[in-house]
Amino acid sequence: MKLLLIEDDPMIGKSIRDGLRREGYSVDWVRDGCSGELAVNAETYDLLILDLGLPRMDGLTLLSTIRASGHLMPVLIITARNEIDDTVNGLDAGADDYLAKPFSMPELSARVRALLRRSFGRAITTLRAGDLELDPQTRIVHLAGKSIPLSQRELALLEHLMRRPGAIVSKANLEGSIYGWGEEVESNTIEVHISNLRKKLGTERIITVRGVGYQVAAK
Ligand code: CA
């Protein structure tokens, strides 16, 4: 899952980005509205976290611009308590939910999970591929009923594949989904994670489509 955070406050921005990365999301962080617009047009994000009081272009204008150009990803507004009127305008302008500052990381991640779940249109939260199950809420993976411990990166990678059953996902897409800007990615990182996943889940679970990418086996 790749998220874009648009927040100009360095302390709040850093704590949100680091907190969400610890939960296995890939997070890009920009600090003004114009950079937010550029990022949205350059990359594909699963969700936006949007502050309203922003330099260069305020959050409401950015939101209207994004929606007017046809971007449909869920938008979570994070707002100061004295900006409640703006929050209502934000919901009118196409935001999906809002959270008033200050909030705790568990509150934020619960909202993020709920929005992602809604956006992926799954009433059932557990992702399944045969007897392989991944619960995005608890971050627990079961194989044939047995829980399998995975690292945050392995989990993020597997979740990205399992949310796209049958699709062949390119290595670049996988890299983009689990790493944010400015994070060092070694050229063989994805291969290493895939290889570790195969050790834990069995070799036939993730299929390599040579020259194209990877696919989770539907068996
Ligand atoms: Ca602000």
Side-chain angles (χ1 to χ4, degrees):
M1 294 283 104
K2 195 171 178 70
L3 318 184
L4 177 65
L5 168 65
I6 310 172
E7 165 64 75
D8 60 319
D9 184 299
M11 295 268 287
I12 297 175
K14 186 176 184 309
S15 71
I16 293 177
R17 183 198 59 189
D18 294 352
L20 289 172
R21 278 186 180 169
R22 271 195 299 276
E23 300 202 9
Y25 297 104
S26 157
V27 185
D28 289 340
W29 173 24
V30 296
R31 300 165 192 227
D32 68 78
C34 288
S35 307
E37 188 186 5
L38 285 174
V40 164
N41 288 317
E43 299 259 351
T44 304
Y45 293 101
D46 297 300
L47 180 133
L48 250 60
I49 299 170
L50 176 66
D51 178 32
L52 290 182
L54 289 170
R56 293 179 77 208
M57 185 196 295
D58 69 86
L60 276 180
T61 308
L62 174 60
L63 179 58
S64 304
T65 310
I66 288 171
R67 289 303 189 218
S69 46
H71 294 288
L72 298 173
M73 78 289 268
V75 174
L76 172 65
I77 287 179
I78 47 174
T79 181
R81 295 223 179 254
N82 61 8
E83 293 172 337
I84 283 302
D85 286 350
D86 285 344
T87 306
V88 174
N89 294 334
L91 293 170
D92 285 342
D96 298 272
D97 199 359
Y98 76 95
L99 204 49
K101 297 174 191 171
F103 48 79
S104 67
M105 265 317 288
E107 269 180 290
L108 177 69
S109 41
R111 299 295 178 98
V112 165
R113 278 197 305 272
L115 285 174
L116 289 172
R117 199 160 61 229
R118 221 190 291 163
S119 127
F120 279 85
R122 281 160 210 278
I124 304 163
T125 57
T126 305
L127 304 173
R128 286 195 173 82
D131 58 359
L132 179 64
E133 296 180 355
L134 188 157
D135 184 334
Q137 304 247 41
T138 58
R139 325 279 304 160
I140 292 174
V141 170
H142 283 97
L143 179 62
K146 187 168 165 258
S147 112
I148 310 284
L150 297 181
S151 74
Q152 288 295 343
R153 297 288 197 205
E154 289 160 7
L155 194 64
L157 202 149
L158 184 65
E159 182 178 348
H160 192 73
L161 287 170
M162 288 182 74
R163 282 191 188 276
R164 291 154 185 82
I168 301 166
V169 183
S170 72
K171 184 178 150 185
N173 183 302
L174 282 174
E175 277 173 3
S177 77
I178 63 170
Y179 293 96
W181 295 335
E183 282 191 275
E184 283 291 318
V185 188
E186 302 278 339
S187 62
N188 66 342
T189 301
I190 296 296
E191 284 90 340
V192 170
H193 289 317
I194 294 277
S195 154
N196 288 335
L197 279 170
R198 283 178 175 147
K199 278 180 202 149
K200 294 177 181 179
L201 304 174
T203 49
E204 72 287 6
R205 288 287 157 176
I206 299 169
I207 301 161
T208 304
V209 183
R210 219 164 275 288
V212 187
Y214 299 96
Q215 190 179 27
V216 69
K219 58 166 265 175

